[in-house]
Amino acid sequence: MRAPFSTALAIAFGLVVLLGYFIPAPCDPANPGLSCTFLGIRVVFLDWGAILAGVAMLVGIVNLALVHWRKVRMAGKERDLLSAVFLLAFLITLAAGFWFTPADVRFQRAVLSIQTPVEISLMALLVVTLAYASLRLLQRRSGLMAASFVISALVFLLLMSGLLGLFQQVPLLRELVNLINRLPLAGARGILLGIALGSLTAGLRILLGADRPYSG
Amino acid sequence: MAENRCPMCGKSNPEEAQRCVFCQAQLKPLAGGEEPQQPSFSFSSSDESEWLKSLRHAVGEEPSFSEETGQEEPDWLARIRQRAQTERQSTDGDKNQLSSWLSDTGGESSAAGEEDWLNQLRAVTSVSQETTEEPLLPSQEERRMTTGELRDVRDRLSRIAGEPVDLSAGVSPAPQPSETVPSSAEAEQPPQAPSGETSDLTEWLRSLEYTGVEQSSEEAKFSIPLEESTELPYSGLAEFTGESELGGGPPEGEQPDWLRAFEEAPTAAETPSAPMSGEETPDWLKAFEEAPSVEEAPSTTEPASAPVSDEETPDWLLELAQTFVPETPGDQTSPFVARVSPFAEEIPPQVEQPKEVTASALQPAAQPEPTAEAALARDVDLTDWLAELEGEAIDKEAISKAFILEEEQPPSEELPAASYPFAGIDADLLGAVEAEASKEGGLEGLAPALLPDWLQALRPVEAVLGETPAASEEELQVERAGPLAGLRGVLPADRLVIQYRKPPIYSIKLRVTEKQQRHIEALSDLIKAEGKPADIKRENLQAPRRLLRLTLALILVLVLLIPLLVSSPSLTPTGLVPGEEVRSFYSQMSLMVPDRPLLVAVDYDAGYLGEMRFAATGVIENLMLKRQRLALVSTVPSGPLLANDLLERAQLKLTQVEPAIRQGYALPDRTVTLGYLPGGITSLQEFATFPRRAVFAGLGNVAGEPQNVWGHVVVQDVHRLSDFAGLLLITDRVDTARAWIEQVEPALERRPFLVITSAQVAPMLTPYVDSGQIEAMIWGISGGMAYEQLAGVPPHAAAYWNAYRYGMYVGFAFILSGVLLRSITVAFSRRRKPNEA
Amino acid sequence: MIQDDVIWMLVGFILTLLVFSYLFGDNILFRLAVYVFVGVSSGYVVVLLVDQVLIPRLVTPLIQGSSSQRLLLVVPLVLSILLMTKLFPRLAAFGNLSLGVMVGIGAAVIVGGALQGTLASQIMAAVTDFDLQAGVLKGRDPVLKLIEALILLVGTISTLVYFQFGAATKPNQPPRRPRWIELLAGIGQMFIGITLGALFAGVFAAALTALIDRLDFITLVIYDFLF
């Protein structure tokens, strides 16, 4: 068996956390009892998990910086000068953050002033891409799903634009509009149930040791 | 068909066969009807080769104890048979031809003497031996020889051994058939050695004589050990016969002593009897003198004692006799026997060549001293000197008679086959050999390699190899490679291969089941499909994509810019009707208790800042107007920044309408940023269970002054999530919303859970609204503006709403255009196909 | 402050234009903007993690905390150090322990949340839709309510069936689902298409809103600088 100790730890920690879902909470501080002790241990485990998640994110970003550092040090055509731009921005932000702290409004403004325009602009470019894709909706695929997709998109574009809002004054049309508004609910509920079932299965496989994504 | 096993070689023969197909030994006894006992070894080619070899390499060499299981080589037997036949024809008149070894030995024996001697030996071999506890040989009665006959044979052998024996003179009268073989007691008495001149002969013969239990270890090598004196020398054959039908040796654990003696290096050799010639000891006899122990024939049942007695009849004699048992019942002369000329005369004429000679006939007497007969009886010894005999015209009859003494049984009885070699020796042959030996003054200077043709034919190795260069090459060839490099006489692998059976041929046809065949076909189709280029539908839209994208972007920009530039800022949005969900949201916000803080989760990215500003600003303004305390938390890294930005924007916008709001709603006093939850759903579960432990440090801890935000006035009374007025989630992702709903919502204990989200997420969160997990939800710019309209907060400029609407119309137009374009294209293509058809 | 606002506004304006240059294709300007964005964002995240996780949860309690706090922190400290070994390929195996703890806890939370947050509630909601009395109280027509409930139920089930691709295999035949499942899957396809169409419209709307925001920003900057 690969990584037996890691598997044992994963199962042990997971079972303790999972059992906490079935123990009533909160416990009475005046009369703690065993359930309070167990919940206390569970909270400690959750705290450790949160700390490890933060450290994992830190490790990922440091690895990203190392990758760009290696790219800068490469010779010839493989050298990427834009990696130097990344490292420059990274180090400057790092320095400013440790200097000004994240609570400083100036630091926050500076970061937001760089993040917001870029992200919003990228989002704005998506409109053009969607517009281009909407012209070719039925050219790649055609079928029941494609047809329903196109029709639904058309209808909901109109609904969201408020054009059909005028029809809500008429009772029958209001019901119809409401029904149309609720039609996506069926598909969304099915998709959510599927996601939940899939998550349940994946989680149980990990808790039972069948899947070990950490053993690599 | 019942098997008829050859007692000589052990091969199975047809039931009706009289002679063995392989070794030509008599299968059925000439006297009696008993089936011969399975000899422990057979006079196989390997045996022949071993005893012949040992005769040759008698000096100082380790006995070549053949471990061959006596694989029969029919080829040599066939050659032997042929030669025997030819020799029979040619030896009739050639009695006087003696081999050089006979002349060396000095033994000049007349043909008559030889015949007598051989006849006596034959009688010995043909006499039945005494049965023992483990009877292997035919009835001893059949092999009984008179004492006198045995003595005569012994004399003959002694003369041959080293004295210029005048066989004609010294030949004792042939034993009368009436004479019986002495009993075992008599047999124990050593035969009287011939006088003076034959003392040497008798010595070596004596040395060859089987002495029973009293025999020395050296003698044991020449004889079959008897467990008791009364036992036949071939009692050890039981072990042999039980071990292998092919005449192989007994198992190692069961090897008789004499056989074990063969395995041991002979250190001391029993002094053989004196050579036949008194003047000069022939080499082959020297070998007997020096190391008679070397002359072992482990696979043969050569007896050590004289064959004069039925117990001591040497096996080699039996084998030899067996080998040349006449093919026809009446023919009692074997080709081999015919060559043994010196002894042919001495074979009593009355004693005919037995049909089958059993080993019992050659069982040695219990005499301690070897006799010439015993020495001669050893097939190992005889083959060499016999091979030197040139006389093909040796009287086989005479030779055979020399070895066969008178039997008690009538001659018509068919004696069972024996494994001794000289059972069927022709007396004439023996006589011829003896005569030659006497002429030449003794058997001295005998070259071991000089064998008569007929004897050579007996040797399976030579018969197969035919003294071909290959055989000699084998012996002389020195191995040059491999682990046996430098050794001589290494078995060549190619010849060994010939000996092996043809290896079994296994079918190479692969068995494929039906399921496997289907899989094979599917995989092959897949691989073939990989090689084929995929059919790509030709796109009818020929305009460059980049130009098209630019055009579309231009259209969109124009459509959006015009309302932004043209519309008046004070224009109210038209066509904006708050829906049911907006009203529900507004009602929930109105019901919110102001004395409790509201937990606001800011979980959207900076990319959705524009939409969230339109959607959430109005709500925050409304809350500010209500003086609602807000506690902000986030699970995304940019959340705290965006939360502060949202608050500042809302306050800034509100200040434009109500300037006093800035003092009335001081952000540092009315709001608190709890911090960042790093672990995603894990942190949310911790936050739901123990919020004070999940987030407590706020922002600014890098400066080294961490503060516990839970001491802030806004949240100082909050210990559990249910202590909040409610939860307002502002997010742009389905997963984030789902995480908050699954982990945190149960801990709210029926506190309102409100969501402000993006238009792209709203359809996926509608089920949670329908299930009641989300009290109310608004999304996008439309929801926000509708809420602003309901709440009466300062709305955003109608220009944004108009631009949004026109943009949605353009999107609708784009999709509709694409559908229409596709329809036209399909319609034209369908028209074109029938026309083309 | 105003100068800072102007500076940052100009920075934002430039970055917006650099990103919009992608309309003409991938170019160095666009990539420059993206690399700057990634660098700043990464740096900010590191600062935030140190500020929100390492210092208040590990460093400060180890320095100023009680003995029991320190004892409890030994485990996450060791696990954090082991997790950092993932940066070095030779030592990466040591980080599996920490990953195992994280994955185990995360899996348990996912399982618990899916059970109590989505599965139970959504199934109950699908049944509750047939509560006609509640619909009447809300002013809904019961017949229409019933039809709506049926449509939603059929849509939900057919959507779930569409994603079931298990089929019995028969010899010499490709695997095929039973006909009734194929029929339900076809209906599910329709409902999924409707949902995806609504999502498409929502994405379009969100992106359109972003474009509106940027265009407004650009015009505002131009207006402020020119006028």
Side-chain angles (χ1 to χ4, degrees):
Chain A
M1 187 164 90
R2 288 168 50 187
F5 196 49
S6 301
T7 307
L9 277 181
I11 295 172
F13 277 83
L15 285 178
V16 169
V17 172
L18 184 62
L19 282 174
Y21 281 96
F22 305 102
I23 295 175
C27 53
D28 185 7
N31 188 17
L34 189 62
S35 62
C36 275
T37 307
F38 182 80
L39 289 176
I41 296 172
R42 182 173 180 265
V43 169
V44 170
F45 285 177
L46 290 171
D47 191 38
W48 291 353
I51 294 171
L52 288 175
V55 174
M57 201 180 301
L58 194 65
V59 169
I61 294 173
V62 170
N63 185 52
L64 175 67
L66 289 175
V67 167
H68 282 282
W69 173 249
R70 288 190 209 109
K71 277 189 173 183
V72 169
R73 293 184 62 188
M74 280 183 184
K77 289 185 179 180
E78 293 181 357
R79 175 182 287 186
D80 190 1
L81 291 176
L82 288 175
S83 296
V85 173
F86 164 84
L87 288 172
L88 192 65
F90 176 76
L91 291 173
I92 291 174
T93 307
L94 207 63
F98 287 125
W99 181 260
F100 294 106
T101 76
D104 194 309
V105 178
R106 291 171 294 179
F107 176 74
Q108 293 180 9
R109 184 74 186 277
V111 171
L112 273 181
S113 298
I114 295 173
Q115 279 188 341
T116 305
V118 174
E119 288 196 42
I120 296 178
S121 302
L122 288 171
M123 192 71 183
L125 285 177
L126 187 62
V127 175
V128 181
T129 306
L130 290 176
Y132 179 75
S134 61
L135 284 175
R136 301 149 58 85
L137 267 177
L138 292 178
Q139 289 190 4
R140 297 279 186 186
R141 274 189 184 181
S142 61
L144 185 60
M145 187 183 283
S148 59
F149 176 85
V150 169
I151 296 170
S152 172
L154 289 171
V155 169
F156 280 95
L157 279 172
L158 290 179
L159 280 174
M160 288 181 181
S161 64
L163 185 66
L164 298 181
L166 298 172
F167 297 145
Q168 291 190 1
Q169 306 301 327
V170 181
L172 191 63
L173 289 177
R174 183 172 63 238
E175 292 291 335
L176 185 63
V177 169
N178 287 338
L179 180 62
I180 292 171
N181 273 327
R182 286 175 66 82
L183 276 178
L185 187 148
R189 181 170 283 163
I191 292 171
L192 286 174
L193 283 171
I195 292 171
L197 288 169
S199 302
L200 186 67
T201 306
L204 284 176
R205 285 176 64 85
I206 291 172
L207 290 178
L208 293 173
D211 277 344
R212 301 188 198 101
Y214 40 81
S215 62
Chain B
M1 186 173 69
E3 283 189 350
N4 189 5
R5 293 211 170 265
C6 173
M8 287 282 286
C9 61
K11 295 284 184 179
S12 60
N13 293 272
E15 189 181 16
E16 62 276 6
Q18 294 291 331
R19 284 182 176 273
C20 176
V21 178
F22 302 99
C23 66
Q24 298 303 313
Q26 193 68 24
L27 292 176
K28 296 184 180 174
L30 297 177
E34 299 182 44
E35 195 162 355
Q37 294 284 347
Q38 180 64 34
S40 62
F41 52 86
S42 61
F43 192 63
S44 61
S45 61
S46 60
D47 300 335
E48 291 177 332
S49 63
E50 286 305 320
W51 65 266
L52 286 174
K53 279 185 183 174
S54 63
L55 270 179
R56 260 198 233 122
H57 306 285
V59 183
E61 290 184 5
E62 201 154 336
S64 56
F65 183 80
S66 171
E67 294 183 358
E68 293 178 6
T69 56
Q71 293 179 347
E72 291 300 321
E73 298 180 355
D75 295 339
W76 70 270
L77 281 173
R79 287 198 213 99
I80 291 168
R81 209 176 300 150
Q82 289 176 0
R83 289 194 184 183
Q85 288 176 357
T86 55
E87 286 163 3
R88 262 190 231 115
Q89 297 170 2
S90 62
T91 54
D92 288 339
D94 191 4
K95 297 181 182 179
N96 297 322
Q97 292 186 6
L98 291 176
S99 61
S100 59
W101 72 267
L102 281 176
S103 60
D104 292 338
T105 57
E108 297 182 352
S109 56
S110 63
E114 292 173 357
E115 290 179 359
D116 293 339
W117 185 86
L118 281 174
N119 287 336
Q120 289 175 4
L121 282 178
R122 193 182 301 152
V124 170
T125 60
S126 62
V127 170
S128 59
Q129 300 177 359
E130 292 181 1
T131 57
T132 59
E133 294 178 358
E134 300 175 345
L136 301 172
L137 304 171
S139 171
Q140 298 189 18
E141 295 179 354
E142 302 169 357
R143 291 286 175 263
R144 288 182 183 276
M145 297 173 64
T146 59
T147 306
E149 292 171 352
L150 291 174
R151 285 193 193 130
D152 290 337
V153 172
R154 211 175 289 131
D155 292 339
R156 299 292 184 272
L157 289 175
S158 61
R159 279 203 296 274
I160 294 170
E163 298 175 6
V165 176
D166 184 5
L167 296 179
S168 60
V171 174
S172 60
Q176 298 302 316
S178 61
E179 292 179 349
T180 59
V181 177
S183 62
S184 60
E186 293 177 350
E188 292 179 359
Q189 295 177 4
Q192 293 180 1
S195 59
E197 296 180 345
T198 62
S199 61
D200 294 336
L201 175 63
T202 55
E203 285 181 11
W204 71 266
L205 286 176
R206 228 175 276 124
S207 67
L208 298 178
E209 185 182 18
Y210 174 74
T211 55
V213 295
E214 299 177 2
Q215 63 185 356
S216 60
S217 59
E218 292 80 9
E219 291 178 359
K221 295 165 187 168
F222 296 96
S223 65
I224 301 172
L226 291 182
E227 296 178 358
E228 298 177 6
S229 61
T230 56
E231 291 182 354
L232 297 174
Y234 298 101
S235 59
L237 286 176
E239 304 171 11
F240 284 91
T241 54
E243 186 263 345
S244 169
E245 293 182 354
L246 298 175
E252 286 192 5
E254 302 175 359
Q255 284 183 354
D257 297 334
W258 69 269
L259 199 59
R260 281 190 220 108
F262 281 120
E263 293 176 345
E264 299 172 5
T267 53
E270 181 184 6
T271 304
S273 56
M276 290 194 224
S277 172
E279 298 175 5
E280 184 179 358
T281 306
D283 296 336
W284 67 274
L285 284 178
K286 283 181 185 173
F288 283 115
E289 291 174 0
E290 293 173 3
S293 60
V294 178
E295 301 170 358
E296 64 172 6
S299 58
T300 61
T301 57
E302 65 270 9
S305 61
V308 293
S309 66
D310 48 0
E311 298 97 342
E312 300 177 351
T313 308
D315 293 336
W316 59 272
L317 279 177
L318 292 172
E319 291 177 3
L320 196 59
Q322 185 64 31
T323 305
F324 295 96
V325 166
E327 294 179 357
T328 58
D331 186 6
Q332 298 179 359
T333 305
S334 64
F336 180 72
V337 172
R339 290 180 173 270
V340 185
S341 58
F343 307 99
E345 295 177 358
E346 298 188 19
I347 297 175
Q350 298 84 346
V351 180
E352 297 179 357
Q353 179 71 20
K355 297 284 186 215
E356 296 177 347
V357 180
T358 63
S360 61
L362 293 177
Q363 287 185 357
Q367 295 181 7
E369 298 179 3
T371 60
E373 292 83 352
L376 189 65
R378 292 182 189 136
D379 54 354
V380 178
D381 308 333
L382 278 178
T383 50
D384 289 338
W385 64 263
L386 288 175
E388 295 176 357
L389 292 179
E390 300 175 356
E392 297 185 357
I394 294 172
D395 188 2
K396 301 172 195 176
E397 185 76 22
I399 292 171
S400 63
K401 287 179 183 176
F403 292 91
I404 301 173
L405 301 178
E406 229 177 31
E407 302 176 358
E408 288 183 354
Q409 296 178 358
S412 60
E413 292 182 19
E414 293 186 352
L415 297 174
S419 59
Y420 46 88
F422 295 99
I425 294 177
D426 194 348
D428 296 336
L429 180 61
L430 289 175
V433 171
E434 194 175 12
E436 185 178 357
S438 62
K439 273 186 184 176
E440 298 180 5
L443 304 172
E444 49 183 10
L446 176 67
L450 299 179
L451 297 173
D453 295 342
W454 62 270
L455 193 56
Q456 288 182 7
L458 278 178
R459 301 178 60 193
V461 174
E462 291 181 347
V464 173
L465 303 178
E467 292 186 351
T468 59
S472 60
E473 286 178 2
E474 269 185 36
E475 295 173 0
L476 298 176
Q477 189 178 5
V478 177
E479 192 68 19
R480 294 184 181 182
L484 302 178
L487 295 179
R488 189 174 299 223
V490 175
L491 288 175
D494 55 345
R495 292 181 188 279
L496 287 174
V497 169
I498 295 171
Q499 297 174 7
Y500 292 123
R501 290 188 309 170
K502 186 179 179 183
I505 298 173
Y506 297 101
S507 174
I508 61 172
K509 186 178 179 183
L510 185 66
R511 292 182 186 176
V512 180
T513 62
E514 189 178 333
K515 185 178 179 183
Q516 289 172 339
Q517 188 66 33
R518 286 204 308 275
H519 291 169
I520 292 167
E521 289 170 5
L523 186 61
S524 63
D525 292 340
L526 197 65
I527 294 170
K528 286 178 189 174
E530 285 293 322
K532 295 179 185 176
D535 295 334
I536 300 175
K537 291 181 181 179
R538 186 181 177 80
E539 295 181 358
N540 294 328
L541 205 60
Q542 299 295 333
R545 293 181 182 179
R546 192 174 295 179
L547 184 60
L548 181 62
R549 285 217 310 254
L550 281 173
T551 307
L552 293 175
L554 194 62
I555 294 171
L556 279 169
V557 168
L558 285 174
V559 167
L560 297 176
L561 271 180
I562 292 173
L564 287 174
L565 296 174
V566 170
S567 301
S568 169
S570 60
L571 190 63
T572 56
T574 57
L576 186 60
V577 178
E580 184 179 342
E581 61 280 358
V582 178
R583 298 179 187 279
S584 173
F585 190 91
Y586 175 74
S587 62
Q588 290 292 333
M589 291 294 289
S590 303
L591 296 174
M592 203 161 291
V593 178
D595 56 343
R596 289 189 178 189
L598 178 67
L599 181 63
V600 180
V602 182
D603 276 353
Y604 59 91
D605 290 329
Y608 293 87
L609 181 63
E611 188 178 13
M612 291 299 106
R613 284 179 184 170
F614 292 114
T617 304
V619 176
I620 299 300
E621 291 173 4
N622 190 23
L623 290 170
M624 286 182 177
L625 289 174
K626 295 174 63 176
R627 302 294 190 272
Q628 185 73 41
R629 291 176 294 167
L630 303 175
L632 297 123
V633 71
S634 179
T635 62
V636 295
S638 58
L641 306 180
L642 295 171
N644 289 336
D645 177 77
L646 183 65
L647 292 175
E648 288 180 359
R649 280 186 178 272
Q651 194 183 47
L652 181 65
K653 183 165 171 284
L654 202 59
T655 305
Q656 295 174 353
V657 175
E658 187 177 335
I661 195 68
R662 195 175 287 275
Q663 287 81 22
Y665 194 90
L667 289 178
D669 299 331
R670 308 300 293 183
T671 63
V672 62
T673 302
L674 295 177
Y676 166 64
L677 298 171
I681 56 172
T682 306
S683 296
L684 285 176
Q685 176 60 216
E686 185 189 9
F687 183 70
T689 308
F690 203 157
R692 286 186 171 236
R693 189 185 176 90
V695 58
F696 54 89
L699 294 178
N701 301 297
V702 180
E705 296 176 358
Q707 51 181 346
N708 189 359
V709 295
W710 293 101
H712 196 276
V713 63
V714 172
V715 290
Q716 62 184 1
D717 297 328
V718 175
H719 299 276
R720 298 177 298 184
L721 287 185
S722 57
D723 294 336
F724 287 101
L727 172 61
L728 176 63
L729 175 64
I730 308 173
T731 183
D732 62 336
R733 298 181 204 167
V734 178
D735 294 337
T736 306
R738 202 159 54 86
W740 278 93
I741 293 168
E742 291 177 354
Q743 307 297 333
V744 179
E745 192 271 335
L748 289 176
E749 297 179 3
R750 308 303 300 172
R751 294 284 185 261
F753 187 176
L754 309 174
V755 175
I756 301 174
T757 183
S758 168
Q760 68 178 8
V761 179
M764 293 301 295
L765 295 182
T766 308
Y768 291 110
V769 178
D770 189 69
S771 65
Q773 290 168 289
I774 297 177
E775 296 293 336
M777 181 175 68
I778 60 173
W779 65 85
I781 188 171
S782 59
M785 286 193 169
Y787 182 84
E788 290 174 351
Q789 195 171 10
L790 280 176
V793 296
H796 280 87
Y800 300 121
W801 171 246
N802 293 332
Y804 172 78
R805 280 198 306 164
Y806 300 152
M808 295 295 279
Y809 297 153
V810 170
F812 178 87
F814 283 154
I815 295 174
L816 198 62
S817 301
V819 172
L820 290 174
L821 207 64
R822 174 66 179 167
S823 303
I824 295 169
T825 306
V826 169
F828 271 112
S829 63
R830 283 179 183 174
R831 279 188 191 176
R832 204 176 298 155
K833 282 181 183 177
N835 291 339
E836 289 175 355
Chain C
M1 287 297 180
I2 298 175
Q3 288 181 350
D4 292 340
D5 293 341
V6 173
I7 292 170
W8 292 122
M9 191 166 60
L10 281 174
V11 168
F13 178 76
I14 293 169
L15 287 173
T16 301
L17 293 179
L18 290 177
V19 174
F20 277 167
S21 67
Y22 189 78
L23 287 171
F24 303 100
D26 191 11
N27 55 80
I28 187 69
L29 298 175
F30 171 77
R31 293 173 66 188
L32 179 68
V34 169
Y35 272 77
V36 169
F37 162 72
V38 173
V40 170
S41 299
S42 302
Y44 166 74
V45 170
V46 171
V47 172
L48 187 70
L49 288 172
V50 172
D51 183 78
Q52 291 289 297
V53 178
L54 293 184
I55 291 178
R57 292 175 183 248
L58 282 177
V59 175
T60 305
L62 281 174
I63 297 173
Q64 302 174 359
S66 62
S67 58
S68 60
Q69 280 182 325
R70 291 177 187 174
L71 197 64
L72 275 178
L73 285 172
V74 168
V75 174
L77 184 65
V78 170
L79 291 175
S80 299
I81 294 170
L82 289 176
L83 194 56
M84 290 181 185
T85 60
K86 283 291 187 182
L87 290 170
F88 312 102
R90 291 185 183 178
L91 303 176
F94 291 102
N96 291 341
L97 278 174
S98 307
L99 283 179
V101 172
M102 284 173 56
V103 168
I105 294 172
V109 172
I110 287 173
V111 169
L115 276 173
Q116 69 175 18
T118 301
L119 279 174
S121 60
Q122 292 304 314
I123 293 171
M124 283 303 299
V127 175
T128 310
D129 283 341
F130 289 90
D131 188 1
L132 302 179
Q133 288 185 351
V136 168
L137 290 173
K138 290 183 180 179
R140 301 288 304 277
D141 183 49
V143 176
L144 292 176
K145 175 74 175 168
L146 181 63
I147 293 171
E148 181 185 294
L150 280 172
I151 291 173
L152 293 179
L153 183 64
V154 170
T156 303
I157 294 173
S158 61
T159 301
L160 282 171
V161 170
Y162 173 77
F163 290 109
Q164 300 302 318
F165 295 104
T169 56
K170 291 182 181 178
N172 299 325
Q173 286 183 15
R176 291 195 64 180
R177 295 185 289 188
R179 291 185 64 85
W180 66 276
I181 289 183
E182 290 282 353
L183 181 64
L184 271 179
I187 299 172
Q189 271 190 359
M190 188 177 67
F191 279 95
I192 290 172
I194 293 171
T195 305
L196 293 179
L199 289 173
F200 176 83
V203 172
F204 188 87
L208 188 66
T209 307
L211 181 59
I212 292 171
D213 179 82
R214 285 297 94 191
L215 291 174
D216 182 58
F217 174 79
I218 291 171
T219 55
L220 186 66
V221 169
I222 294 173
Y223 183 79
D224 287 343
F225 276 100
L226 290 179
F227 305 99

